[in-house]
Amino acid sequence: MDKEKRHFKESLKQDEFKSFIHHVIDFFRDPVKLNKSLNWGIGVLLVALVVWGYTAYKSNVDTQVYKAIGTAKAKMANKDIDTAIQNLKTTARDYPSSSMLGAVNYYLGQCYELKGDLDGGLKAYGEAVNSYLPESMLPGAYMSYAYALEAKQDFVKAVSVYDELLKKMPNYFGAGEVLLNQARNLRLAGKLPEAAAKYKAVVDKYPDSAWAYTAKQFVQ
């Protein structure tokens, strides 16, 4: 019985192999099928080449932008703010498709603030937060943007910028500071009930923090 089973399985495998060979032969004898497959294969190859080329291009672009940011930061450290601004503006112009454009604008905003150009800083920070930013840079960019808005006495807009930060980073470790800043801007905007609610939220959520100590001064 076992011998019959083995013979049956071997015969089945042989039949499957013969059938496969016949299909292969028929395929190569049929020029229509062959041309379709060749065209499909060439298409796949072209797509793969395009994807590879684009990926390599993006990687090279981001590398160049990363180097430019490093150079600009060195200029900032040496108090050569004008050169840093020029470098960053040139980088933004030459590499508009870079995934690091948000970082370029963030540092550009810092440069403008160092020069006392609040309007330039606001514009750069606004472009930064509207671009991709790595999570490590989100708090700095949003906080800088909100502080610049507060300096321009655009208190309501500053509150909305803090809201955006908390939506993007709901578990942000500095959320108490964000709430405190929102409360201050609401108070400065004359929205006293809303400000009081924010101050109370700081006290309730972070009772033993320095933020709560500040907030308690405004909670009745």
Side-chain angles (χ1 to χ4, degrees):
M1 187 68 178
D2 290 340
K3 187 180 294 185
E4 290 178 0
K5 284 183 179 180
R6 285 198 301 272
H7 178 71
F8 175 75
K9 288 181 180 179
E10 289 173 1
S11 299
L12 190 61
K13 288 180 181 178
Q14 290 176 0
D15 289 341
E16 289 176 350
F17 179 73
K18 288 178 182 179
S19 176
F20 171 74
I21 292 297
H22 283 305
H23 280 303
V24 172
I25 293 172
D26 289 341
F27 174 80
F28 282 101
R29 282 177 177 174
D30 189 335
V32 175
K33 290 182 179 179
L34 186 58
N35 286 336
K36 284 183 178 179
S37 295
L38 286 173
N39 289 337
W40 183 84
I42 291 171
V44 170
L45 179 61
L46 287 174
V47 170
L49 287 172
V50 169
V51 170
W52 175 82
Y54 180 74
T55 302
Y57 166 76
K58 288 287 290 182
S59 177
N60 181 61
V61 165
D62 286 345
T63 299
Q64 296 303 317
V65 174
Y66 181 80
K67 290 179 180 178
I69 290 174
T71 301
K73 288 170 70 175
K75 296 294 182 182
M76 291 168 67
N78 290 327
K79 310 300 182 184
D80 189 358
I81 307 303
D82 288 329
T83 302
I85 289 174
Q86 190 56 49
N87 288 350
L88 290 167
K89 288 174 68 176
T90 300
T91 301
R93 182 198 66 201
D94 292 347
Y95 302 103
S97 65
S98 172
S99 63
M100 299 186 69
L101 194 60
V104 171
N105 282 305
Y106 170 55
Y107 288 112
L108 186 58
Q110 288 190 328
C111 286
Y112 280 128
E113 277 205 277
L114 289 171
K115 281 184 66 69
D117 183 353
L118 191 54
D119 289 328
L122 272 173
K123 183 175 184 296
Y125 287 138
E127 290 177 355
V129 300
N130 286 323
S131 304
Y132 166 77
L133 282 168
E135 188 170 291
S136 60
M137 294 186 70
L138 285 175
Y142 274 94
M143 298 282 269
S144 296
Y145 188 26
Y147 277 125
L149 287 165
E150 183 176 343
K152 291 287 287 185
Q153 298 188 1
D154 195 348
F155 306 120
V156 175
K157 179 67 179 294
V159 172
S160 69
V161 169
Y162 286 124
D163 275 333
E164 288 180 24
L165 172 58
L166 292 177
K167 285 178 182 177
K168 288 194 173 183
M169 299 186 69
N171 299 317
Y172 176 46
F173 67 89
E177 181 183 358
V178 173
L179 290 174
L180 193 61
N181 290 345
Q182 284 186 310
R184 183 182 63 254
N185 277 274
L186 287 166
R187 177 169 54 82
L188 292 171
K191 296 179 178 293
L192 300 183
E194 294 95 324
K198 289 288 184 183
Y199 282 125
K200 188 175 184 305
V202 174
V203 173
D204 291 343
K205 290 183 178 181
Y206 311 98
D208 300 320
S209 68
W211 305 318
Y213 177 80
T214 301
K216 286 176 182 177
Q217 303 173 51
F218 302 94
V219 175
Q220 296 180 351

